Amino acid sequence: MLSKSTKKERRKKKEIDNYSSALLKTCTPGQSFSLGDPFSRSSICSARSLICDRLEMKTPQVIRRSPTPLLLLLLLTGVCIDAYMPVVIVHGIFDGPKQFKTLSDYITKVHPGTEVKVIDLYDNLASLKPLWRQVRDFRKAIDPIMQKAPNGIHLLCFSQGGLICRALLSTDPDHNVHSFISLSSPQAGQYGDTDYLKWVFPDCVKKTVFRVCYNRVGQKVSICDYWNDPHHRSRYLQSNIFLPLLNGDRPHKDMKSWRQNFLRIKKLVLIGGPDDGVITPWQSSHFGFYDSKENVVQMKNQEFYKNDTFGLKTLGARGDVSVCVHSGVKHVYWHSNFTVFSSCIEKWLT
């Protein structure tokens, strides 16, 4: 007759084998996982934890009597660690890496083993440097990360960083960015009396900033590179050397190649909300902007969308534009709000 301990061990082994069989049926070599799969990456990680819990063990490595489950659990450990693409975070104006520790922790908590890299460049006051210079140097920093990730990376960019990232994607023909997540970024430009404006130009209000921004000296300040005064459209198109080129509002010889480069992304995620308090109008985070009477024209009615100058309309037709609107979130809290992370960001980082 079998002892009680032997029966218990056999029951445990049978439970492992049952779980193992179910998992192995879904884990074929080279299989891709979708958000709707019952055994997605996160489900596999959960199942792995459940198996370990059933064994009343902290880690699978202490299993000694059953080599087949041990091999499976080690493989599952690899899936949980290696399955997620690296996430690269680019900060905004007056920011730096320390402001994104909470967001990094969110990512690694829900997707264990994810490599999260916050680029430590142009922090704080240095973020006022010209945007094309920042684009060049952020690209140099991100290129090695992409080269080490043949399956691609995710690019999560906040505020001004969203424009830097979009310019990087447009000018890099070899990038392998899967999801580009634009977190409260003035993608269609900025025009508003905010605290940020007062910090940069304390003697100016929005109606006079164009005099400072739309000249060679002003274009050496980052905020001027996306200052879009709807009352001085011709001067904006003529003097701004960044945003009109990026949006294709001013034709240039690289428009076709930039469009092709940008369309290499698999998903564009646009996040923003009405209580932001900095991005003005707040719809700029979704490519909406003012007309000459300061009425907001939504993304699909913008000329750059209708003319598909940089590929936004094509992305929309592909079903690869996700728009997420959240109220009650101030600008500086987007990257530390767990509700925003769980509802707008998490699912695009698999």
Side-chain angles (χ1 to χ4, degrees):
M1 180 177 291
L2 296 174
S3 65
K4 289 185 178 180
S5 61
T6 301
K7 289 181 178 179
K8 185 177 181 180
E9 287 295 325
R10 287 191 175 183
R11 284 198 301 270
K12 288 180 179 178
K13 183 178 184 302
K14 186 175 181 180
E15 288 179 1
I16 296 172
D17 290 340
N18 289 339
Y19 280 108
S20 301
S21 298
L23 291 169
L24 284 174
K25 289 177 182 178
T26 65
C27 296
T28 56
Q31 176 186 359
S32 61
F33 294 82
S34 68
L35 294 174
D37 287 338
F39 287 95
S40 63
R41 296 182 182 97
S42 58
S43 300
I44 290 175
C45 292
S46 299
R48 170 181 169 271
S49 299
L50 181 58
I51 294 172
C52 295
D53 290 342
R54 289 297 181 96
L55 284 170
E56 298 175 349
M57 297 175 179
K58 292 183 179 179
T59 61
Q61 282 81 354
V62 299
I63 305 172
R64 293 186 177 88
R65 293 190 178 182
S66 183
T68 301
L70 172 59
L71 178 59
L72 171 65
L73 291 172
L74 289 175
L75 289 172
L76 291 179
T77 301
V79 169
C80 293
I81 292 175
D82 295 330
Y84 301 110
M85 298 180 190
V87 177
V88 175
I89 298 175
V90 175
H91 65 76
I93 194 169
F94 302 132
D95 278 337
K98 70 177 183 179
Q99 280 83 11
F100 293 85
K101 185 180 185 306
T102 299
L103 179 57
S104 299
D105 289 344
Y106 289 160
I107 295 170
T108 54
K109 182 177 180 179
V110 300
H111 293 159
T114 301
E115 177 189 354
V116 180
K117 177 68 174 178
V118 185
I119 305 300
D120 189 6
L121 280 176
Y122 294 101
D123 303 341
N124 306 314
L125 287 176
S127 63
L128 291 172
K129 297 290 185 181
L131 284 191
W132 282 123
R133 182 190 304 180
Q134 295 194 49
V135 171
R136 177 196 66 197
D137 293 340
F138 273 99
R139 177 177 171 179
K140 289 179 181 178
I142 295 172
D143 272 348
I145 302 173
M146 292 193 289
Q147 291 172 10
K148 294 178 182 178
N151 293 327
I153 68 168
H154 299 302
L155 203 51
L156 202 171
C157 312
F158 173 63
S159 193
Q160 178 178 278
L163 289 167
I164 293 171
C165 289
R166 184 155 68 92
L168 184 156
L169 293 170
S170 297
T171 56
D172 185 352
D174 300 315
H175 76 76
N176 62 355
V177 171
H178 192 278
S179 296
F180 167 35
I181 302 172
S182 174
L183 181 60
S184 188
S185 175
Q187 292 292 351
Q190 173 75 7
Y191 182 73
D193 288 319
T194 66
D195 289 339
Y196 282 49
L197 180 65
K198 295 174 184 177
W199 295 339
V200 180
F201 303 120
D203 298 324
C204 293
V205 293
K206 68 179 184 180
K207 292 182 179 180
T208 61
V209 171
F210 77 95
R211 296 191 181 116
V212 177
C213 282
Y214 295 161
N215 57 64
R216 292 180 64 184
V217 175
Q219 289 298 292
K220 294 181 180 179
V221 180
S222 65
I223 193 172
C224 286
D225 290 338
Y226 49 93
W227 187 259
N228 187 356
D229 190 326
H231 305 291
H232 297 276
R233 180 72 174 175
S234 60
R235 289 192 62 172
Y236 161 76
L237 293 175
Q238 180 181 358
S239 302
N240 191 310
I241 63 172
F242 183 81
L243 191 58
L245 299 178
L246 193 58
N247 284 348
D249 290 327
R250 189 167 85 213
H252 57 91
K253 63 181 179 62
D254 296 315
M255 282 182 65
K256 184 177 179 180
S257 62
W258 285 15
R259 183 178 180 278
Q260 291 174 340
N261 297 340
F262 185 65
L263 286 172
R264 290 173 63 89
I265 65 172
K266 303 299 186 292
K267 181 67 68 173
L268 171 63
V269 183
L270 303 172
I271 305 169
D275 301 309
D276 182 275
V278 172
I279 305 303
T280 316
W282 70 267
Q283 292 92 339
S284 181
S285 59
H286 301 143
F287 284 102
F289 204 72
Y290 293 131
D291 62 14
S292 60
K293 296 181 180 179
E294 295 191 32
N295 297 313
V296 174
V297 178
Q298 299 296 339
M299 174 177 67
K300 291 185 178 182
N301 291 322
Q302 293 288 339
E303 290 300 314
F304 55 68
Y305 185 93
K306 292 189 291 186
N307 296 328
D308 205 20
T309 53
F310 63 91
L312 185 58
K313 185 176 181 180
T314 296
L315 280 175
R318 278 173 21 189
D320 291 329
V321 177
S322 174
V323 175
C324 192
V325 180
H326 258 285
S327 59
V329 183
K330 297 297 184 183
H331 188 69
V332 296
Y333 296 112
W334 285 104
H335 45 73
S336 59
N337 187 303
F338 186 74
T339 301
V340 172
F341 172 76
S342 60
S343 60
C344 300
I345 298 174
E346 178 187 350
K347 61 185 174 181
W348 306 116
L349 298 181
T350 54

